[in-house]
């Protein structure tokens, strides 16, 4: 019999502590066996926790939802940064919205051409906790090229004009404070904030569990950008494993402008030239969902 323990999503089950997804989708929910709760506090925005899982190492958990784990953070963080940074003509000014675990920012500064990464995270607690309790993902002491801004990403982007080469939206799911980051007014502001050959990328959820979100993101960006390319990766931590990213570009088609040599010496564990070229190849059900030709 399940008994609700303290903390969002925590249940005791057969004498062990489990973190259970707060919601199911199509009757499916992930459960994580947890050895220890290392940190848990409620910030102004959400419950922020770090747990030691039984098999995925330490995990960052927001409102009971696992955001990233030591075992597979590298896949997601590399996919959301290296794909735009290895296809943009010359990335110098980068803006990251969300991404409080700091893993994506650490990937972005691996490019010598990147002069500055503006990291706009709504919740300072997530950054503080990740730097302190999750150095394996955050990298510990941040690189001096990363500048932290603690505010709503939508409000920040609204004030920018022709400022950035790449904007990456590393948000949590489209509920609570992140909901605004999946809406058209935000995308219009991102378009304005990009330079004339700028690109944006966002995590766009699972094609299996959130096809509605993925389609809405794709179609909204198609109204603004001439090139919109969805790509996929397998991130075991996220429901169903398969995860989507949507890349939108003002001038160059990311699929035709792979600058694979840039990946050399980037010290990656997942992205290489093969992944860069192959991630844009989509299966039939995804092409159908997005109304793309076979
Ligand atoms: N890789 C993770 C995933 O896909 O689940 C998400 C990484 S990161 C932890 C997501 C961050 O977005 C959180 O730290 C959250 O506080 C932040 N966030 C949510 N809404 C935001 C907003 N409107 N502006 C800026 N940051 C936001």
């Amino acid at each position: 019999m399940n008994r609700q323990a303290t903390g969002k999503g925590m249940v005791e089950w057969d004498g062990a502590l489990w973190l259970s997804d707060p919601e199911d989708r199509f009757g499916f929910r992930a459960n994580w066996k947890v050895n220890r709760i290392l940190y848990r506090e409620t910030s102004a925005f959400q419950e922020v926790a770090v747990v030691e899982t039984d098999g995925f190492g330490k995990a960052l958990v927001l409102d009971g939802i696992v955001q990233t784990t030591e075992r597979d953070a590298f896949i997601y963080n590399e996919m959301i940064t290296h794909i735009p940074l290895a296809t943009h003509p010359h990335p110098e000014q980068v803006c990251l919205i969300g991404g409080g675990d700091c893993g994506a920012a650490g990937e972005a500064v691996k490019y010598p051409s990147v002069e500055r990464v503006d990291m706009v995270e709504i919740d300072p607690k997530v950054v503080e906790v990740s730097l302190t309790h999750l150095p394996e993902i955050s990298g510990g002491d941040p690189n001096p090229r990363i500048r932290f801004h603690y505010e709503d990403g939508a409000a920040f982007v609204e004030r920018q004009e022709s400022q950035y080469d790449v904007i990456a939206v590393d948000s949590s799911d489209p509920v609570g404070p992140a909901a605004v980051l999946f809406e058209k007014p935000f995308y219009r502001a991102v378009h304005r904030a990009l330079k004339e050959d700028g690109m944006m990328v966002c995590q766009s959820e699972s094609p299996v569990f959130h096809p509605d979100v993925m389609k809405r993101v794709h179609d909204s960006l198609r109204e603004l950008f001439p090139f919109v390319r969805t790509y996929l990766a397998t991130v075991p931590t996220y429901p169903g494993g398969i995860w989507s990213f949507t890349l939108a570009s003002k001038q160059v088609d990311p699929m035709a402008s792979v600058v694979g040599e840039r990946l050399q010496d980037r010290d990656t564990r997942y992205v290489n030239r093969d992944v860069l070229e192959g991630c844009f190849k989509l299966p039939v059900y995804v092409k159908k969902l997005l109304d793309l030709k076979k």
Side-chain angles (χ1 to χ4, degrees):
M1 203 176 1
N2 288 0
R3 181 166 68 79
Q4 188 71 33
T6 52
K8 287 198 181 164
M10 292 289 180
V11 293
E12 234 180 74
W13 195 8
D14 290 341
L17 190 59
W18 288 78
L19 172 63
S20 183
D21 263 356
E23 281 178 26
D24 72 77
R25 187 101 183 172
F26 304 142
F28 171 98
R29 72 170 74 195
N31 298 288
W32 303 79
K33 197 172 182 186
V34 168
N35 293 337
R36 281 191 306 157
I37 299 172
L38 300 170
Y39 177 93
R40 190 172 62 228
E41 209 177 290
T42 301
S43 74
F45 301 95
Q46 52 212 341
E47 186 192 85
V48 181
V50 177
V51 301
E52 184 189 275
T53 66
D54 200 46
F56 274 64
K58 285 189 266 176
L60 174 70
V61 186
L62 300 180
D63 279 341
I65 300 171
V66 174
Q67 303 288 311
T68 185
T69 72
E70 252 183 277
R71 182 172 285 276
D72 62 0
F74 70 100
I75 304 176
Y76 175 91
N77 289 328
E78 290 185 18
M79 287 303 281
I80 202 163
T81 49
H82 291 276
I83 305 303
L85 290 172
T87 51
H88 185 279
H90 190 68
E92 290 175 346
Q93 306 298 320
V94 174
C95 179
L96 262 170
I97 308 286
D101 56 79
C102 302
E107 292 303 318
V109 292
K110 286 181 177 175
Y111 287 75
S113 71
V114 170
E115 294 167 2
R116 198 180 75 202
V117 177
D118 282 327
M119 233 203 79
V120 191
E121 164 61 59
I122 202 166
D123 192 344
K125 186 57 83 184
V126 179
V127 173
E128 179 199 312
V129 165
S130 301
L131 295 176
T132 313
H133 295 278
L134 286 168
E136 303 81 0
I137 295 173
S138 65
D141 277 348
N143 184 293
R145 283 181 286 154
I146 303 171
R147 292 199 202 158
F148 292 90
H149 308 260
Y150 295 114
E151 66 169 291
D152 171 28
F156 177 91
V157 166
E158 194 66 48
R159 299 195 303 274
Q160 317 300 321
E161 203 161 333
S162 306
Q163 184 77 25
Y164 295 105
D165 299 297
V166 171
I167 297 179
V169 189
D170 180 6
S171 72
S172 25
D173 299 334
V175 283
V180 68
L181 305 178
F182 289 79
E183 299 297 332
K184 276 187 200 171
F186 171 65
Y187 297 144
R188 275 196 285 274
V190 167
H191 187 273
R192 242 190 346 264
L194 287 168
K195 293 185 195 167
E196 60 180 11
D197 58 356
M199 283 182 186
M200 73 151 278
V201 66
C202 60
Q203 71 90 356
S204 42
E205 308 278 303
S206 156
V208 176
F209 289 98
H210 321 97
D212 46 338
V213 177
M214 198 174 144
K215 168 102 175 118
R216 192 156 43 85
V217 169
H218 181 267
D219 290 355
S220 303
L221 291 173
R222 280 281 290 269
E223 288 175 18
L224 296 166
F225 293 84
F227 301 102
V228 178
R229 302 293 188 188
T230 296
Y231 59 92
L232 300 175
T234 301
V235 187
T237 283
Y238 300 142
I242 185 139
W243 211 249
S244 80
F245 302 83
T246 306
L247 184 51
S249 171
K250 279 183 162 180
Q251 218 169 65
V252 293
D253 179 356
M255 267 177 93
S257 69
V258 170
V259 193
E261 312 78 61
R262 267 201 221 148
L263 287 171
Q264 280 163 21
D265 308 322
R266 293 291 83 83
D267 186 29
T268 55
R269 288 172 66 197
Y270 188 79
V271 176
N272 57 16
R273 200 188 169 106
D274 293 341
V275 169
L276 185 57
E277 288 171 356
C279 68
F280 294 109
K281 309 264 187 245
L282 301 173
V284 176
Y285 78 101
V286 174
K287 286 194 153 189
K288 229 177 185 165
L289 171 71
L290 303 177
D291 292 323
L292 302 174
K293 278 194 233 109
K294 268 205 170 180

